[in-house]
Structure formats: structure tokens, C-alpha cells
Amino acid sequence: MRCPAILQTESERLTALSNHGLDDESLIPNLDPVVHIAARMFGMPVAAVNMIGSDHVFFAAHVGAGKFDMSRDVSFCAHTINQPDVMVVLDASLDERFHDNPLVTGEINLRFYAGVPLFSPEGLALGALCIVDNQPHTDFSASDQLRLQELAKMASDRLELRRIEVSGNKSRPNFEEYAGNSTTPVVWFDQTLRITAWNNAAAQSHGYSLEEGIGKPVEQLMPERSRPIFHEIINKAITAGSLDDLVIPSEINGLRKDGTKFILGFSLFSWKDAGGIKFEAVLKDITAQRLEEIELHQQANIDPLTGLGNRGSFYRAVESAMITPSPMTVLMIDLDGFKDVNDTLGDAAGDTILKEVSNRLLKLVDTVGVAARIGGDEFAIMWPHMTDPGLATQLAEAAVATIAIPINVDGQEVRVAASCGIAIAPKQAQEALELVSNADLALFKAKSIGRGQVFLFVTALRLEAVVRRLYALELHRAVDDGEFLLFYQPQVDLITGEITGAEALLRWHHPERGILSPIAFLPALERGTLAATVGTWVLDEACAQAAYWRRNGSPNLRMGVNLFGAQFHVGNLVTEVIEALERHGLPPEALELEITETIAPDNDDVVLNCLHQLYNYGVGIALDDFGTGYASLSLLKTYPLTRIKIDQSFVHGMLEHEQDASVIRATLDIARSFRLETIAEGIETESQRYYLLEKECMEGQGYLFGKPIPAAQFSALIESNKLSKAFA
């Protein structure tokens, strides 16, 4: 353990401690607000002002501190006073100075520390303002350090008041010696409330010259509405002969000579003189400090765009309510497709929408609940004393409904949908983090169902989340160990039955669970960091296989490859595709890249530019799952496409339901109008095949022609297809 160094000015430093009255280990009440602000501002369980004695450390003020080893050798604050600015220990267990410190290894389990030294007017370190936690905080930023330094200035100001008070209780010196040159505004007055002495700092603070104050009523330094309280205190002090046991406000309103008002930090002392009583007021202008505190509070608690509470303040509100304890419902709300709206209409319109959504949620909760914006397009509501699942669901549906009302943006009506997750305490959670997390899981489930959905947390969601995390971990191993493989599904000419192409479909050969279909792992893969890596492998593997089949019996075979959205934003997709084709000796028309509406939103310049380059190079671009989303028609106008894939959900129902048949007919008409090829997915019967042929859809894929199969089996299928043609 590294012990703190002893300063060369140690004797002078200890004298300064004594001059401040800080050698008796007593708490200083006017420092309490500082530590409470620090704890709230940074969300820390412990905040303290520690004074460093000769061989020990003692609290001048603290919040949340239990029993600490207060010896100087183990004190983090004793290290802090050896430097001029903030000392930050992000994780004490990894810091060579403190990893074996008893405060770290023992019961306290101290992990995070940030402290700022507190200096006397002569520049001597008295102690430190610090915040402490038993959890590491690697995200403690430079701006956080500046905020802690600002609070330290407040603590130093209050220590200076302490020094003045202690000095005043000793033999009263001449005013000029005592405070004439002090930068702290000091005013002496007698029991007639006439100023007997003041210094330049006090005169200038109130807009007067030094000579204008003597003999003037001290009450001229404060507005009329503040004077009655001041008179009451002074009258009681005159009657009692001292200020002992009187409640003195720490702040009052000040009045300048020009009539402007401002906020004063107020300290009042008294002493007996010639049978009477005299007073000393320390009147420090703290207007800027108060405004800064308000700004810091806003930054720490308020979302600047909407005026709602932010993520941190919402968590604290939930935590505070659960400590009570208070039953409650928490809603987590996410706007569906907001990014598309923002990209289409612009950031200013997006901000207008977020503000309007915030106003609507505020009206919904009224004065009963708490509404917050916890992310870009994420909101949260806490509704206390609501534990009925039915009522909670009604509230969630009301939130979704009020968001769905059209919003006027520059004369244009914009509709925004929202999904909502619900969790209830104490039935579904016993502490704040768990409750909010459960509501988040319910939101995730709601969004997986569709737009504008509401879902109430059930225990099974927690298990699903664990499974997703396990999959995410296993996916890294799968990539490293080559556990992915491709299956291929034939695409055929509906007239001849000839194989015209193959769609490459990803499978995971799990060492314990066997061959896994995409539904088991694709969501986790798409949300993680590996999608682009796996996508690159799929592209290369599929191109290699296509080259083999084109050289061995299917010279015109087309390979369909599904793209991940991440491939457009990581690396250079155009270069990867061209290099893969050249590496395997394939012409551009041998490859057809399949995109969905999810990864091809309107006005995404990155996606659009990539696709245009690939289209111009000669690569086919197919729009998959056509008709299932809301942006299909606009995509046909915007994106360079060569083929539309008709979704299997319409194919399955087209013979029984006129609506599905209408979609099929409309899609084929649209494709012809745009001069696009079509292929129908999910064909399982000859009746479906004949119907599609009748409507002039010339290609298809589905179980009627073959399920997705490994490459070796697909090779056999190609061979049998060749033989059937030979004997036809």
C-alpha cells in the first residue's frame, strides 16, 4: 500500500486548520448542502468533506458514510491534498496505489473515488471534497471533474466563512487588520442597525463607494421584503445578548444602489462591546453560483430538448419511490420507425415530434406520475400506487394512442406509432433497476410483435433475455470456430421446372444443439457486432459455390445472397462484392443481392449509393418480402432493383382469400410497369404453381421444388435436373 506523502508546509497547514476551527473534529453544518448536492449530482452513495489532521482524517460534513478507517495512512483524501486539482480513481482494485488498501480489500470495498483539495486563502490544503462508491465508474468524464471542482469552490467559500466566524469569536481586532483587504464582503453594524465599518468587497458588491456606507442603515443592502425577517433576528439577538440558538438563514436577497436585486450568501456573527452588542454580516454575492447550480442540476436531471426528466433522474425517482416502499407501474415507450421519419423530414421536424410527444405524455400523467425522456426516441412513465395489470395496460394503451394522434409539422400531418412495455412493483420487481429492466424486456417483446403494440412483463421474458445473451456469447465462438454453413434452396422456371438459381441461407452447426435455423440466432446476430463479418463470409462462400456449379453443369445459375444492414456501414460493400466475383471468376449477373425494407429505408444515402454502384456493375438487386412493409412502393421508385420477391404469406393464401390474390395480381402488374423480374416464394402445391403461371409469374421457389439443403445435396439435385431435361 502506498502511503500519502507529508507536505513540506505541514506545520503551516495544521496551523491553518486550527485557525479555521477544524482541529476539534466537529461537523460544520454549512457544508451539509455541498455534500448532499454532490451525492445527488453524481448519483453516489457517499459524499464527504474530509479534513486531514496530523495523523488522522475526520469528517467536516458527510452523507451516506458509515464506519471508515480514519487513519491518514489509508486515506484517499490524504493523497488528494498533495495535488492541485481533481484526483480520480476509476477502479481502486486496479490502481497500483490503492489495490491493497484496507478500504479497498476490506468490508468497505471502496472501488471509485474522486476528490478535490480544499485550500485556505494562503493556498494551504486543509482537506478534500470527495465522492465515493463501491462500484467502479469508468465513465467519470472531464466535465464531471469540472462540476466537482465547482462544488469544491462552494465548500472553500463556506470554510472561509468558518474562519471568519472563528476569528470573530477571538479577541476582536481592528477592522482594517481583520477584513479590510479581504476579498470576502464583510459589514460591521451596531444595534441601531447603522454600518460602522465595511470593506471594498462589500461596497463594490452593492454598487457603492467605500465612503458611502459608514453610518448608513444596513437594511439598505436588502430589499424591503427581506427586512422584516432581518429585524426580527436582530431584535431577538439584542434581547438575548447574542445570536446563540437563533435560526439564521444562509441566504437572503441583496439590493444594489441601482435597485437591482441579487442573491447573497448570508452569515451573521455578534460580540459584546461596551455593554452593548455589535454584529458582523458576511454578504457574498452568490447569484452566479446559484445560476450555475441550477444549470448543473438541469444538466444532471433534465433533458434539454423536451424539458422532461432524463434517464438518471427517472431512475432516481423510481429508486426513491421503491425505498419508501411504494407500489407502482413503470412504462417504457419507444417510437416505432422514428429514425425513418427523422431522416425523411429532417432533424428539426424530428425535434418538433419529440417535443409534442413529451407534451402529450406530460398531460397523460398530469401531476400523478412522472414522465421522462431516457434516450433518443425512448420515453418512460412511472405511475405510483398502480398495481392492477388491467389498469396498467389501459394506461399503456392510452400512451400509445395519444402518441398515434397525427402531429402537425410545418403544415404537414405526421403519424408516429409507439410500442410500450409494462412492469409492476412490487409484484414483478423488488428494486428499481430490476423494475426498469423488466419494463425494457416487455418493450423488446412488444416491438417484436409489431408496431404500436403493448406488452406486460412476464417471467419468461427474463429467461429469453438470458438465452439471447448466451447466444451472443456463443456467436463469437461460432465465427472463430467456423460453425456457420450455408444451405441452398432451388429457384426454378415455373414452366420447365429447370433450376435457374439458388438462394444461400445461413445455418449454424451448433456443437451441442445441432443444425439451428436462422430464427434461433439471426436476431441476436443482427443486433450484435458480428453481422458484417458473417455477411462477408456468406458472400464469399456463396460465390465460391456458384462458381463450382456454373463450371459443373449449370452455366447460367444465379446465386441469391441476403445482405445484413451492417454490411452497408462497415467496410466497403461494393469493393467486397466486386473482389468476391473476380476471385471466383463469376460474371456480375451470376450474383443477386437480396435486401429487405428493414435495411433499405427511404433516403438512406449510404445504402442507396452502394446499391447504385452494384447495379451499374451488373449485379442483380432483389427486394425480398415485398408487400409486408409500409415503404415498398416508394422503394421501387428510389432504389435500383432488378427483381421483386413476392412474400410467401400471400402465396399461401392466394387460392383461398381474394385479398391475397389481389396483392399477387397487383404486385405482378407493378413489376411489369417497372420492368422488373418476379419470383414467388413459398410455393408448395401444383395448384399454386399453375395459378402463378396463369398470372405470368415465371419463377418460384418453395417446398414443391425443394427445401433448403446442404451443397452436396444441391449438387445431386442439379444432376437430377440435368437428367430429367435430357430425357424430357
Side-chain angles (χ1 to χ4, degrees), residues 172-188:
R172 185 64 52 171
N174 174 275
F175 183 85
E176 284 304 313
E177 296 175 4
Y178 170 70
N181 295 320
S182 175
T183 56
T184 300
V186 178
V187 179
W188 282 4

Side-chain angles (χ1 to χ4, degrees), residues 17 27 49 82 96 185 207 228 239 277 285 292 297 304 317 402 424 533 565:
L17 270 178
L27 296 174
V49 173
N82 289 321
E96 63 178 10
T239 302
I277 184 171
D285 183 354
E292 189 169 357
H297 181 272
T402 193
I424 300 171
T533 301

Side-chain angles (χ1 to χ4, degrees), residues 335-583:
L335 304 186
D336 298 322
F338 177 75
K339 182 181 182 300
D340 295 343
V341 174
N342 206 44
D343 290 345
T344 303
L345 300 180
D347 291 342
D351 288 350
T352 299
I353 292 169
L354 292 173
K355 291 176 187 176
E356 178 59 24
V357 168
S358 301
N359 291 335
R360 293 179 183 184
L361 293 180
L362 269 179
K363 289 179 182 177
L364 181 68
V365 301
D366 196 15
T367 58
V368 179
V370 175
R373 181 187 177 207
I374 60 172
D377 59 354
E378 295 177 82
F379 297 85
I381 289 176
M382 180 189 75
W383 199 281
H385 309 299
M386 180 180 287
T387 57
D388 181 85
L391 291 176
T393 301
Q394 288 179 23
L395 173 63
E397 289 171 346
V400 169
T402 193
I403 291 171
I405 298 171
I407 298 171
N408 188 292
V409 180
D410 295 331
Q412 180 179 356
E413 278 197 351
V414 179
R415 296 177 183 272
V416 180
S419 300
C420 182
I422 314 163
I424 300 171
K427 183 179 180 180
Q428 296 174 335
Q430 300 296 320
E431 59 94 24
L433 190 59
E434 182 185 12
L435 180 64
V436 174
S437 174
N438 287 348
D440 248 337
L441 291 174
L443 171 62
F444 182 85
K445 184 67 175 179
K447 290 181 73 66
S448 71
I449 298 171
R451 293 162 60 85
Q453 298 297 311
V454 167
F455 200 87
L456 177 66
F457 175 80
V458 291
T459 308
L461 295 182
R462 180 66 60 187
L463 180 60
E464 290 177 15
V466 171
V467 171
R468 284 197 300 272
R469 283 196 293 272
L470 289 174
Y471 266 132
L473 293 172
E474 289 189 313
L475 283 170
H476 284 272
R477 187 205 66 229
V479 171
D480 293 340
D481 294 353
E483 294 174 8
F484 287 114
L485 69 158
L486 292 181
F487 277 23
Y488 301 89
Q489 186 171 30
Q491 298 173 333
V492 304
D493 184 310
L494 293 183
I495 296 176
T496 65
E498 179 184 355
I499 295 175
T500 56
E503 180 179 2
L505 298 164
L506 187 63
R507 297 292 187 268
W508 181 3
H509 191 183
H510 194 282
E512 297 173 2
R513 293 188 284 276
I515 303 295
L516 300 180
S517 64
I519 195 171
F521 64 88
L522 211 54
L525 180 60
E526 289 175 327
R527 288 192 305 273
T529 58
L530 298 172
T533 301
V534 174
T536 299
W537 174 83
V538 170
L539 177 67
D540 188 71
E541 182 74 9
C543 285
Q545 191 63 59
Y548 173 80
W549 284 329
R550 286 172 71 95
R551 289 193 302 269
N552 291 274
S554 293
N556 298 315
L557 183 131
R558 179 186 66 245
M559 180 62 71
V561 174
N562 294 276
L563 293 178
F564 291 107
Q567 290 176 265
F568 290 95
H569 302 283
V570 177
N572 188 319
L573 178 61
V574 175
T575 300
E576 286 182 10
V577 170
I578 293 173
E579 288 180 351
L581 291 171
E582 291 177 348
R583 184 162 52 249

Side-chain angles (χ1 to χ4, degrees), residues 210-256:
L210 186 65
E211 296 75 19
E212 288 181 279
I214 308 303
K216 297 289 186 182
V218 71
E219 60 188 13
Q220 74 180 9
L221 304 181
M222 60 193 75
E224 285 192 20
R225 63 187 180 89
S226 297
R227 294 172 188 175
I229 296 174
F230 179 72
H231 287 159
E232 182 181 356
I233 294 169
I234 298 301
N235 290 336
K236 286 181 178 179
I238 292 171
T239 302
S242 76
L243 291 166
D244 295 346
D245 301 323
L246 294 181
V247 178
I248 312 296
S250 61
E251 294 179 9
I252 63 169
N253 290 313
L255 182 68
R256 294 191 178 92

